[in-house]
Amino acid sequence: MIDKARMLSDTKRLVSAKSISGTELERSGAERIMELLDELDYFKQHKENVYKQPIAGDPFGRCIIAALLEGGKKSKNTIILTGHYDVVDVDGYAQLKDIAFDVDEITKRINELPLDEDAKRDADTGEWIFGRGTADMKFGHALIIELLRHYSESENLTGLNGNLLYVAVCGEETNSEGMLAASAFLNGLAEKRKLHYSALLLAECYLNENMANDPRRYIHYGATGKVMPMFLCAGKGCHADEPFAGLDANSLNAAVYELLAMNTDYCQSKNGECTPPAVCLKMKDLKATYSASIPMYAVSYYSILTLKLEPDALISSLRMIAMRAFELALEKRSRDAEAYGKLMNKPMTVRSFAPCVMTYEELYNEVKKQYNGDLDAHLKAFAGKLTEKKLELQDISIELVRHVYELYGAKQPMIILSFIPPYYPDVYMDPAEADAGRLLAAANDVIDYARQQFNEHLELKDYYMGLSDLSYTGLGEDAGFDTLFKNLAGAGLTYDFPLQALKQLHVPGIVLGGWGKDFHQNSERLNIPYSFDVLPKLYMRIIADILG
């Protein structure tokens, strides 16, 4: 049977592991999951069914944890139960950050932080627990482990017509390193243990854009994708006292920002869903130290969410943005020079430049023509040195693009358009496929069941609008994106996208999780009644539906 008290205790134990993504601490999440699995009698007796799979070449020594519970009826049909064990940092908790991983303590003292009215009301009810990772998504692992405990009891195991495969992954909050590596592992395990993956259930808390006032719960069965275009702006250096002798890279970067940031032309709509506008995630110049020189390089990169990515059309549109930005920057420079000349009572001599935009692929091909040696080997060695410094993938991509530009013989001011990791494909399962049809039917049955048994109003939503590892579960055989990958800085060097492994995996999935609020904020919290009383029963219903 499901033990609510034990599940709550396990949630607190999981939260207490300070598994901050992209740090050495992240491993503590995997270690705590292993501790909990070791307490289950089934896995004490079947140690061969627990897997600890290292992420090859990972600078933080992270791993995937998997545990296979084999049903008594010896069916190959298998449900993957999954989620990520990493969390974002706790800086937002200010003076309470030292207790952000202590559920009891932070819940008791959460009102010491400035909270909005909704969070204050929830804190006063006593029906919510606070703390980093409660909603995103340590509870999901406590739920799965409790389900494994329930189904491993002899009478339940005997009647289980299939298998449950728990997969806990790392890195979802950074670059999804865990799920990308898991694809090959899952394919290999299916071949070795003769498994068929019928469905994937992601135990992440559901997303709702109006959580404070919307009584509905959601099941998401599609996932938005994400691409990150980067604009590296190369200007012309000069002394700050002679600004019109050069070209400030920041002026190019700022013009790109004005045209692209929050641009609703990059929203996509389908079935009543709409992605947000393009958002700038980082914008900076690349001067390492102070000097009285204008910046030679500046860079910005943006998040664009997709429902249906068309790489060629996107690149064409972004190229036009970059070209127009270059023109606008030059026009402003000309006006500024004219105004300055009037102040000086003499016409200004202004160095002229022509707008120039190149894609990363175009720049790479030009450099390769003239490079004396093996350019690919050179870039691999260069990327290796950057990796040794434990730089973020995005910073490595910036340095790679800048380095290729520096190898270019015909240097001139330009904007270089590329993409940087991570890349998330948009996925939407086809109900005509047998497994997908069965999963959707099961989801609809659970909606009816929740209404009848618990008076809960669940709805299906076409897309999970937050990024999730669901994006790596539904690639079709026709997925190509060669144009995108050729312009993805670091692809094959520091970022491997396992396209073929993901095509082979191809399992229909949904997000079915607890009720949480304010992910990544200091008011992150999880509702106890729905998450601990209702959701386990919904999982048991959908497992029964899928496995028959």
Side-chain angles (χ1 to χ4, degrees), residues 17 45 48 136 174 182 185 198 273 291 351 362 445 508 535 544:
Q45 300 166 14
E48 73 281 3
D136 188 17
T174 49
F185 167 78
S198 304
E273 307 277 4
S291 70
R351 184 168 183 172
E362 290 166 348
D445 175 63
L535 189 63

Side-chain angles (χ1 to χ4, degrees), residues 349-378:
T349 301
V350 180
R351 184 168 183 172
S352 63
F353 299 100
C356 179
V357 174
M358 295 181 74
T359 65
Y360 178 70
E361 179 187 11
E362 290 166 348
L363 179 64
Y364 167 86
N365 288 337
E366 289 299 315
V367 171
K368 191 162 188 175
K369 289 177 188 176
Q370 58 192 233
Y371 186 76
N372 184 20
D374 188 335
L375 178 60
D376 293 333
H378 172 79

Side-chain angles (χ1 to χ4, degrees), residues 1-57:
M1 63 177 288
I2 298 294
D3 187 326
K4 174 184 172 181
R6 182 169 54 211
M7 190 163 39
L8 179 58
S9 173
D10 285 352
T11 299
K12 295 176 181 179
R13 288 172 65 186
L14 286 159
V15 169
S16 70
K18 303 175 182 179
S19 53
I20 297 174
S21 198
T23 71
E24 304 284 351
L25 290 171
E26 192 171 349
R27 295 198 304 268
S28 67
E31 292 162 2
R32 187 58 45 83
I33 288 169
M34 287 294 291
E35 289 175 14
L36 292 170
L37 289 173
D38 286 344
E39 295 172 7
L40 272 62
D41 290 339
Y42 178 89
F43 293 114
K44 290 178 183 177
Q45 300 166 14
H46 298 85
K47 294 184 182 295
E48 73 281 3
N49 281 18
V50 178
Y51 302 86
K52 187 176 182 180
Q53 181 72 24
I55 307 296

Side-chain angles (χ1 to χ4, degrees), residues 233-237 247-249 285 287 293-298 405 411:
C233 303
K236 172 64 177 167
L247 179 60
D248 185 358
D285 65 51
K287 279 183 68 174
S293 302
I294 65 170
M296 172 77 175
Y297 298 103
Y405 173 80
K411 287 185 182 66

Side-chain angles (χ1 to χ4, degrees), residues 278-412:
V279 175
C280 182
L281 298 182
K282 181 164 281 191
M283 185 177 187
K284 64 178 181 177
D285 65 51
L286 302 185
K287 279 183 68 174
T289 58
Y290 167 79
S291 70
S293 302
I294 65 170
M296 172 77 175
Y297 298 103
V299 69
S300 56
Y301 54 81
Y302 300 77
S303 170
I304 295 179
L305 300 189
T306 65
L307 302 181
K308 183 63 176 176
L309 176 63
E310 296 178 354
D312 292 328
L314 179 61
I315 290 172
S316 177
S317 174
L318 293 172
R319 185 197 289 272
M320 291 190 332
I321 288 271
M323 182 59 74
R324 182 58 184 148
F326 210 127
E327 292 168 349
L328 289 173
L330 292 180
E331 290 170 9
K332 181 181 184 302
R333 179 171 174 268
S334 179
R335 292 194 302 271
D336 292 341
E338 182 180 355
Y340 182 56
K342 289 178 180 179
L343 289 174
M344 298 291 289
N345 288 318
K346 63 179 181 180
M348 291 299 302
T349 301
V350 180
R351 184 168 183 172
S352 63
F353 299 100
C356 179
V357 174
M358 295 181 74
T359 65
Y360 178 70
E361 179 187 11
E362 290 166 348
L363 179 64
Y364 167 86
N365 288 337
E366 289 299 315
V367 171
K368 191 162 188 175
K369 289 177 188 176
Q370 58 192 233
Y371 186 76
N372 184 20
D374 188 335
L375 178 60
D376 293 333
H378 172 79
L379 293 178
K380 185 174 182 179
F382 181 77
K385 292 177 182 177
L386 296 174
T387 302
E388 289 172 4
K389 297 178 182 179
K390 294 188 177 181
L391 298 181
E392 288 187 333
L393 276 179
Q394 294 73 31
D395 289 332
I396 291 175
S397 297
I398 291 170
E399 292 305 318
L400 275 169
V401 176
R402 174 161 68 167
H403 187 63
V404 174
Y405 173 80
E406 289 171 343
L407 295 173
Y408 183 43
K411 287 185 182 66
Q412 65 187 92

Side-chain angles (χ1 to χ4, degrees), residues 97-407:
K97 65 182 179 181
D98 290 340
I99 60 169
F101 295 104
D102 184 330
V103 171
D104 291 332
E105 192 66 19
I106 192 68
T107 301
K108 187 189 309 179
R109 297 177 57 189
I110 194 64
N111 279 309
E112 295 177 26
L113 296 174
L115 303 175
D116 62 26
E117 291 303 314
D118 185 54
K120 288 178 183 177
R121 283 194 298 271
D122 288 345
D124 291 342
T125 66
E127 294 186 344
W128 296 79
I129 53 174
F130 288 73
R132 175 59 76 234
T134 48
D136 188 17
M137 58 160 292
K138 297 296 181 71
F139 160 71
H141 295 278
L143 167 67
I144 294 170
I145 290 169
E146 186 61 24
L147 287 167
L148 292 176
R149 188 190 301 272
H150 166 78
Y151 282 106
S152 67
E153 295 168 356
S154 58
E155 64 276 15
N156 298 326
L157 190 63
T158 301
L160 185 61
N161 187 27
N163 315 296
L164 301 178
L165 175 61
Y166 173 35
V167 182
V169 299
C170 61
E172 194 264 3
E173 301 291 4
T174 49
N175 303 298
S176 286
E177 295 93 342
M179 196 63 194
L180 288 174
S183 58
F185 167 78
L186 289 168
N187 291 334
L189 185 65
E191 183 176 351
K192 179 181 178 181
R193 303 297 294 267
K194 309 302 181 189
L195 306 176
H196 170 72
Y197 299 134
S198 304
L200 179 144
L201 308 181
L202 176 57
E204 185 117 32
C205 284
Y206 67 84
L207 280 182
N208 181 358
E209 296 175 0
N210 188 24
M211 287 184 174
N213 303 308
D214 191 345
R216 293 168 293 183
R217 320 288 178 227
Y218 291 99
I219 299 174
H220 304 268
Y221 64 98
T224 56
K226 173 183 173 179
V227 289
M228 289 208 296
M230 181 175 81
F231 300 82
L232 189 133
C233 303
K236 172 64 177 167
C238 67
H239 196 284
D241 291 345
E242 299 179 305
F244 298 108
L247 179 60
D248 185 358
N250 281 324
S251 68
L252 301 175
N253 209 21
V256 172
Y257 178 90
E258 284 296 316
L259 292 174
L260 184 55
M262 305 304 289
N263 187 333
T264 55
D265 288 345
Y266 293 88
C267 297
Q268 292 190 342
S269 300
K270 182 179 178 181
N271 297 345
E273 307 277 4
C274 183
T275 61
V279 175
C280 182
L281 298 182
K282 181 164 281 191
M283 185 177 187
K284 64 178 181 177
D285 65 51
L286 302 185
K287 279 183 68 174
T289 58
Y290 167 79
S291 70
S293 302
I294 65 170
M296 172 77 175
Y297 298 103
V299 69
S300 56
Y301 54 81
Y302 300 77
S303 170
I304 295 179
L305 300 189
T306 65
L307 302 181
K308 183 63 176 176
L309 176 63
E310 296 178 354
D312 292 328
L314 179 61
I315 290 172
S316 177
S317 174
L318 293 172
R319 185 197 289 272
M320 291 190 332
I321 288 271
M323 182 59 74
R324 182 58 184 148
F326 210 127
E327 292 168 349
L328 289 173
L330 292 180
E331 290 170 9
K332 181 181 184 302
R333 179 171 174 268
S334 179
R335 292 194 302 271
D336 292 341
E338 182 180 355
Y340 182 56
K342 289 178 180 179
L343 289 174
M344 298 291 289
N345 288 318
K346 63 179 181 180
M348 291 299 302
T349 301
V350 180
R351 184 168 183 172
S352 63
F353 299 100
C356 179
V357 174
M358 295 181 74
T359 65
Y360 178 70
E361 179 187 11
E362 290 166 348
L363 179 64
Y364 167 86
N365 288 337
E366 289 299 315
V367 171
K368 191 162 188 175
K369 289 177 188 176
Q370 58 192 233
Y371 186 76
N372 184 20
D374 188 335
L375 178 60
D376 293 333
H378 172 79
L379 293 178
K380 185 174 182 179
F382 181 77
K385 292 177 182 177
L386 296 174
T387 302
E388 289 172 4
K389 297 178 182 179
K390 294 188 177 181
L391 298 181
E392 288 187 333
L393 276 179
Q394 294 73 31
D395 289 332
I396 291 175
S397 297
I398 291 170
E399 292 305 318
L400 275 169
V401 176
R402 174 161 68 167
H403 187 63
V404 174
Y405 173 80
E406 289 171 343
L407 295 173

